[in-house]
Amino acid sequence: MKAYLLTEMTWPEVKEALQTVKLAIIPIGAHEQHGPHMKESCDAVLATEMSNKLAERLYPYVLVTPTVNMGVSIHHINFPGTITLQPDTLIRVLRDMVWSLKQHGINKFLFLNSHGGNQSTLSVACTTLTHELGVQIYYAKTTASAKEAMKKHISSTLYGHSCEREVSEALYLAPHLIHMDRLEKGDIREGQWRLLRPGNAIQGTYQYEEMTANGCIGDATKASYEAGQEMVEEALDNLTESLLQFL
Amino acid sequence: MKAYLLTEMTWPEVKEALQTVKLAIIPIGAHEQHGPHMKESCDAVLATEMSNKLAERLYPYVLVTPTVNMGVSIHHINFPGTITLQPDTLIRVLRDMVWSLKQHGINKFLFLNSHGGNQSTLSVACTTLTHELGVQIYYAKTTASAKEAMKKHISSTLYGHSCEREVSEALYLAPHLIHMDRLEKGDIREGQWRLLRPGNAIQGTYQYEEMTANGCIGDATKASYEAGQEMVEEALDNLTESLLQFL
Amino acid sequence: MKAYLLTEMTWPEVKEALQTVKLAIIPIGAHEQHGPHMKESCDAVLATEMSNKLAERLYPYVLVTPTVNMGVSIHHINFPGTITLQPDTLIRVLRDMVWSLKQHGINKFLFLNSHGGNQSTLSVACTTLTHELGVQIYYAKTTASAKEAMKKHISSTLYGHSCEREVSEALYLAPHLIHMDRLEKGDIREGQWRLLRPGNAIQGTYQYEEMTANGCIGDATKASYEAGQEMVEEALDNLTESLLQFL
Amino acid sequence: MKAYLLTEMTWPEVKEALQTVKLAIIPIGAHEQHGPHMKESCDAVLATEMSNKLAERLYPYVLVTPTVNMGVSIHHINFPGTITLQPDTLIRVLRDMVWSLKQHGINKFLFLNSHGGNQSTLSVACTTLTHELGVQIYYAKTTASAKEAMKKHISSTLYGHSCEREVSEALYLAPHLIHMDRLEKGDIREGQWRLLRPGNAIQGTYQYEEMTANGCIGDATKASYEAGQEMVEEALDNLTESLLQFL
Amino acid sequence: MKAYLLTEMTWPEVKEALQTVKLAIIPIGAHEQHGPHMKESCDAVLATEMSNKLAERLYPYVLVTPTVNMGVSIHHINFPGTITLQPDTLIRVLRDMVWSLKQHGINKFLFLNSHGGNQSTLSVACTTLTHELGVQIYYAKTTASAKEAMKKHISSTLYGHSCEREVSEALYLAPHLIHMDRLEKGDIREGQWRLLRPGNAIQGTYQYEEMTANGCIGDATKASYEAGQEMVEEALDNLTESLLQFL
Amino acid sequence: MKAYLLTEMTWPEVKEALQTVKLAIIPIGAHEQHGPHMKESCDAVLATEMSNKLAERLYPYVLVTPTVNMGVSIHHINFPGTITLQPDTLIRVLRDMVWSLKQHGINKFLFLNSHGGNQSTLSVACTTLTHELGVQIYYAKTTASAKEAMKKHISSTLYGHSCEREVSEALYLAPHLIHMDRLEKGDIREGQWRLLRPGNAIQGTYQYEEMTANGCIGDATKASYEAGQEMVEEALDNLTESLLQFL
């Protein structure tokens, strides 16, 4: 299958593609610890792979830009290797990307994000840049819309980071991210973080090591290629269906 | 009942209160259109009233600061009278407030917000300021945790702005905000906004007039004092219970 | 008497009012200690009340916006409860307010300020925003122009904060701000601040506690409703006369 | 007479001087039109000369830094040659200067300013930098304290820019700034600016060409060396007396 | 050979590596047109490959971070597909990266940059961040020090972008970047840019299309694997030798 | 000879000059230690003198603005008296100057800089402001193009600050900057700075006192008026020739 990937193209190829392209997908990941069994580039790689697959579905109407390979990860900073951008830095990078692509005639954008810690910054970026630059911006968490497959494959009540969901996605999209011989269940610690999880009366910031000693939650040992395939493909179906209505 | 309200106190009274106070509630609202039947100060007033009631519950451990009476309302700007802050401006105001209160020995904060459009900015503020100023910050949407009362009293599928929920809350907390003789159901327009509502595969920005001609959604004519009372009190129960574990 | 107060209006009412409104009054106060006998919201409340009265005089040509209820109060920060904005934060808030109101067709603004500590920041804001946003901005200290009434009613040589002038104004405009049973004269301390008062060869910053132990200057026990009435009404006469020439 | 002028010194000389120096005088001027008879560098030159004379009086306790030779002059921008800094730019320059000098052990500063348009920005800078950098900052308008000499020598009711005051000062301090054969009285135009002059109920921004066709106010033809000498020396007396109490 | 590549590691592996690592290499590239024969990700890929090879040489004392895959490319913006960061954005990204890695105990950094348009921004970043964050920062253009191999292999007088140098480097480091069947010599246009090239009396900005119609300079058809190998290895020798003296 | 020097002109003279002026020369210097034999204003004075001479050559097509008399000198901050601007501050000053002059119809600019520490900041400023303000900006190091005279007169291998080059220039342009009776050769210290000098594989920041104990490099005792004259005049020839092609 074909897809317009900006990193793989020459300028005459881009010029040709711009005759049909209406929307740019900007893959947004993170560089942060993913427990003992996943590489720290996990989110950046998964956002890239999802973007590429979505671009295949929407060929020749979209292109994929270079990946924003670091994100807002301050809650992981106490695990070795994590790099975090300030929210304002991430917004500035996105402003420059959107501005540049607008010079080439693109006026619609999808921020395709694989990292939960980026979501509120992307919401702010979407509000701000839409008005400031006069463009249309959408954003999505990569596989959040795969509700049926998640119900089927995920049994942990606390999941979402280097868990059966994420490892399954990686098994399907980028198995090199995983050390299969080191898969571990989340080593959960008790603490006040439980009071701040989504669904509680109040929200707030806590550091990841308060919640988990090994940097994982959920149960990575339950991951499978099939679960990954079903979640990714269901999400791609949903993303494709939504975006087609905006092209 | 008693509550520490900073706007009503002299400095010797504040000095006395600081012997027990551990957390400051910062009420955050907005100034924006609320359809033909509610005043534009609605969110600022409701945030203030909720904060005051919560402070009664948590006396003498919390105080209420002056209200942030404008917020992020760019999606309402095309309705007369709406004023919007840029997200970065709101964060700066909150930084200055938290910094100031820290000088007085307060190290815990609750951003109590009544306006959905502020939520992602507050999430970013919470992440940023917690680390920058070395304090603990929590944030909450005023009545979002009143899940049972909402299930009981709200029948509209699309609600959340000048609807039966918000008008009911106002009937209980601040009835002067409402023109009971002008109550109107949302005058919904069809459009692409439906594809961007929470729960869809992608999110994005749209202007409120694309969704509703009169600036309301839901059905304000179904509002009642009782519904408001139940939602507000259930939310206060939940907020109180959560916060007590952090004091 | 009638006045257009944005906080009290619905959007259809604002739409109607905009047919005659040419200028927006932005009340600007502070949240800071006012000695043992006045509430810390003093400046915010007085700015609001003055704005409302001025709007009555100038009906239907002006409207009053929400109040900027915190200001530049770093010199009071060592008294419990004081909250201060950085000058740059205050300017950003005003920029956003002016920008928003310009979207509704308003091109003239009055910053009506009750707090001396805001004056130079407002002068900078006026210069900056007038050019940046292409509007006309004026600013005034609420009762500074009431020169005759002040000469008649004020005997202290050092006055201007929770003194006979301010308490008199509050007696007329917002008596709930005052604890009449706690009125105190300023408890003045000697120090280098005297060398920096207006009229000296050099100016500079000092903290309020260097000047007064109880947070007051002047003599609040000499305040009266009549003095307040005369100062407020003389100032309103002057403000009205000036503004009428700009409408 | 001797004075420590940083621009004229080598580093070993500065090292020696720092054994007694306690305060740095930062001369602040502007680059703006001064009518047909004065050079546009007028304010920068006068601020420098005043600073140097003041440093002679206060030798060996003060030094003079390089001159900030441009300022806030947006109200003159429509006259050819005027250059204006944004207020925020001027504050940043001063922050960097104060920070640098603090590295050399200086903790007290006088912003000695010759240009009215800078005053509110300097007030904001003083408030901000005093707290941010932990230093003591004072500011003064060069000859504003020469009240007796001004009463004696100035007859114009509207003066303050390229008028008998400023030209007299220049005759005494820097006569090369003046074209004596081109001296002109201010060519005053009528307009709303009169309503915004100091002493009126409201203040605001206007462009200088609204007020004067030739860029002057007052009456430069009445200037004299003697008037300049008396104003400058009276001001120096006052500045010296004040500063001695802070050294 | 072994090298510490942060994108390929888990946090326990990073923790182990940090026992010997003293310096982080930050690869910095660009996303911009590279003529008809090279992919737009060229600079990002070459910076990454050079960093990885250098890390092998300096194992176990350095690690390689994620790549900054966009840079300052405003001069290429008129060629389809180019994305540019503002210089200030690039500095902010680097500040966040250096800050993050400092949390993990790393205090020395090399910005290894493949794109000429980034050099002055990196010089500013180096000066600024060294002092602001209290670390040691070095920067280098990837192969600039390979003077002997360049003298031997490069015959064009105007070269440096998608030329024999860059294509040779890619042939050795990342041949997938090149379309060998489309190699073109630079299609040079005459213009004032010649007056602004390095070595002239004045410098300045011009757009790349003023200089070359196909986006290349030099002569890519003269590129070879051997030239690339010699330039890269000579540069690696020099970089290794220099860095060893700082470890 | 004649030259348009903005500091020496009245506005009617500027108005007249603008009929022929096409480019503004902005002299940019620094305030920093220059060893025991030169005044700290050296760079600011030399930039001014060079600009004035260049303006004579290019009369009546250019004018000279006020001098930016401080620059980026953080590497000299440990020598008494040095003042440094942050790079961002310098860019803001230049933005305001260019913006102001554009209001007067000038669209071409030369940043004529005498201080090496400013060069990369000026390169960034040139790139940024050219695009942001829609003008043409060039920049040059004052005498860098005098290659023949330098080869003839400079024998030190390490030179460039208060050395035979700079002292010679000053002997010709501004002899009052020099104490001839204190001329010293650079008192060079050994250290890692050698590894970071131009021409090495890596660049980086070091403090000047690591390199030289007396703040000089090179050998000032070899300076002469003739060397200065030849370097300055050769550079002026080159600058004039280049600029004539852009006017």
Side-chain angles (χ1 to χ4, degrees), chain C residues 120 123 139 147 192 199 203 245, chain D residues 120 123 139 192 199 203 245:
Chain C
S120 45
S123 170
Y139 65 102
K147 291 172 190 166
Q192 289 190 316
Q203 308 288 297
Q245 299 179 73
Chain D
S120 45
S123 171
Y139 66 103
Q192 289 191 316
Q203 307 289 297
Q245 300 179 70

Side-chain angles (χ1 to χ4, degrees), chain A residues 72 74-75 77 86-88 110 119-121 123-124 126-128 130-132 136-141 145 147 192-193 195-196 199-205 207 235 238-239 242-243 245-247, chain B residues 72 74-75 77 86-88 110 119-121 123-124 126-128 130-132 136-141 145 147 192-193 195-196 199-205 207 235 238-239 242-243 245-247:
Chain A
V72 180
I74 185 77
H75 47 311
I77 194 68
Q86 293 190 58
D88 188 50
L110 176 69
Q119 281 293 101
S120 45
T121 298
S123 171
V124 170
C126 176
T127 299
T128 302
T130 294
H131 290 278
E132 182 178 323
Q136 280 182 273
I137 302 177
Y138 313 108
Y139 65 102
K141 186 97 186 312
S145 65
K147 291 173 190 166
Q192 288 190 317
W193 59 268
L195 303 165
L196 301 172
N200 283 279
I202 63 173
Q203 307 289 297
T205 296
Q207 292 303 103
N238 291 328
L239 289 166
S242 282
L243 283 172
Q245 300 178 72
F246 290 106
L247 294 179
Chain B
V72 180
I74 186 76
H75 47 311
I77 195 68
Q86 293 191 58
D88 188 50
L110 176 68
Q119 281 294 101
S120 46
T121 299
S123 171
V124 171
C126 176
T127 299
T128 303
T130 294
H131 290 278
E132 182 179 324
Q136 278 182 275
I137 301 176
Y138 313 109
Y139 65 102
K141 187 97 186 310
S145 65
K147 290 173 189 164
Q192 288 190 318
W193 59 268
L195 304 165
L196 301 172
N200 282 280
I202 63 174
Q203 308 287 296
T205 296
Q207 291 304 102
N238 290 330
L239 290 166
S242 282
L243 284 173
Q245 299 179 73
F246 289 107
L247 294 179

Side-chain angles (χ1 to χ4, degrees), chain E residues 74 87 120-121 123-124 126-128 131 137-140 147 192 195-196 199 201-205 207 239 242 245-246, chain F residues 74 87 120-121 123-124 126-128 131 137-140 147 192 195-196 199 201-205 207 239 245-246:
Chain E
I74 186 76
S120 46
T121 298
S123 171
V124 171
C126 176
T127 298
T128 303
H131 290 278
I137 302 176
Y138 313 108
Y139 64 102
K147 290 172 191 167
Q192 289 191 316
L195 304 165
L196 302 172
I202 63 174
Q203 307 289 295
T205 296
Q207 291 304 103
L239 290 166
S242 282
Q245 300 180 73
F246 291 106
Chain F
I74 186 76
S120 46
T121 299
S123 171
V124 171
C126 176
T127 299
T128 303
H131 289 279
I137 301 177
Y138 312 107
Y139 65 103
K147 291 172 190 166
Q192 288 190 317
L195 303 164
L196 302 172
I202 64 173
Q203 308 288 297
T205 295
Q207 291 304 102
L239 290 166
Q245 299 179 73
F246 289 107

Side-chain angles (χ1 to χ4, degrees), chain C residues 43 63 76 148:
Chain C
D43 291 346
L63 58 72
H76 291 281
E148 293 185 24

Side-chain angles (χ1 to χ4, degrees), chain B:
Chain B
M1 287 176 79
K2 292 183 67 174
Y4 288 136
L5 310 182
L6 216 47
T7 55
E8 301 294 320
M9 298 167 81
T10 63
W11 75 256
E13 291 168 351
V14 178
K15 187 179 178 186
E16 173 74 16
L18 288 171
Q19 296 188 348
T20 55
V21 165
K22 295 181 179 173
L23 179 143
I25 302 173
I26 300 182
I28 303 174
H31 182 89
E32 67 180 27
Q33 72 86 14
H34 272 75
H37 50 252
M38 293 192 99
K39 296 178 182 175
E40 297 201 337
S41 59
C42 174
D43 291 346
V45 172
L46 293 183
T48 307
E49 297 300 327
M50 279 296 287
S51 295
N52 292 358
K53 280 189 175 292
L54 183 57
E56 289 177 351
R57 303 272 193 118
L58 294 166
Y59 176 87
Y61 304 117
V62 307
L63 59 72
V64 180
T65 72
T67 298
V68 179
N69 55 3
M70 295 170 282
V72 180
S73 300
I74 186 76
H75 47 311
H76 291 281
I77 195 68
N78 295 331
F79 284 94
T82 298
I83 294 173
T84 184
L85 299 184
Q86 293 191 58
D88 188 50
T89 303
L90 178 52
I91 293 172
R92 284 171 191 260
V93 169
L94 293 168
R95 176 181 288 119
D96 290 353
M97 294 181 79
V98 170
W99 181 89
S100 296
L101 293 158
K102 192 183 172 190
Q103 309 307 306
H104 304 309
I106 299 177
N107 289 301
K108 295 179 182 178
F109 298 87
L110 176 68
F111 296 161
L112 191 54
N113 170 45
S114 59
H115 171 54
N118 291 335
Q119 281 294 101
S120 46
T121 299
L122 296 182
S123 171
V124 171
C126 176
T127 299
T128 303
L129 301 180
T130 294
H131 290 278
E132 182 179 324
L133 298 175
V135 295
Q136 278 182 275
I137 301 176
Y138 313 109
Y139 65 102
K141 187 97 186 310
T142 45
T143 56
S145 65
K147 290 173 189 164
E148 292 186 24
M150 288 207 197
K151 193 184 301 179
K152 179 176 165 190
H153 292 289
I154 297 175
S155 51
S156 304
T157 48
L158 176 71
Y159 71 94
H161 187 75
S162 214
C163 59
E164 59 264 52
R165 182 185 63 65
E166 196 162 37
V167 174
S168 295
E169 288 174 29
L171 280 168
Y172 180 58
L173 290 171
H176 63 84
L177 290 172
I178 315 166
H179 292 280
M180 290 301 288
D181 55 336
R182 304 183 197 166
L183 289 182
E184 281 187 21
K185 196 176 164 183
D187 182 7
I188 305 304
R189 288 169 168 163
E190 285 314 304
Q192 288 190 318
W193 59 268
R194 282 206 190 274
L195 304 165
L196 301 172
R197 294 292 296 175
N200 282 280
I202 63 174
Q203 308 287 296
T205 296
Y206 49 92
Q207 291 304 102
Y208 230 68
E209 69 273 15
E210 299 177 37
M211 181 163 66
T212 163
N214 63 354
C216 307
I217 59 176
D219 187 352
T221 67
K222 295 184 178 161
S224 72
Y225 178 94
E226 292 69 28
Q229 183 177 38
E230 288 183 32
M231 289 186 289
V232 165
E233 295 295 333
E234 181 183 340
L236 288 170
D237 288 348
N238 290 330
L239 290 166
T240 301
E241 187 186 338
S242 282
L243 284 173
L244 280 174
Q245 299 179 73
F246 289 107
L247 294 179

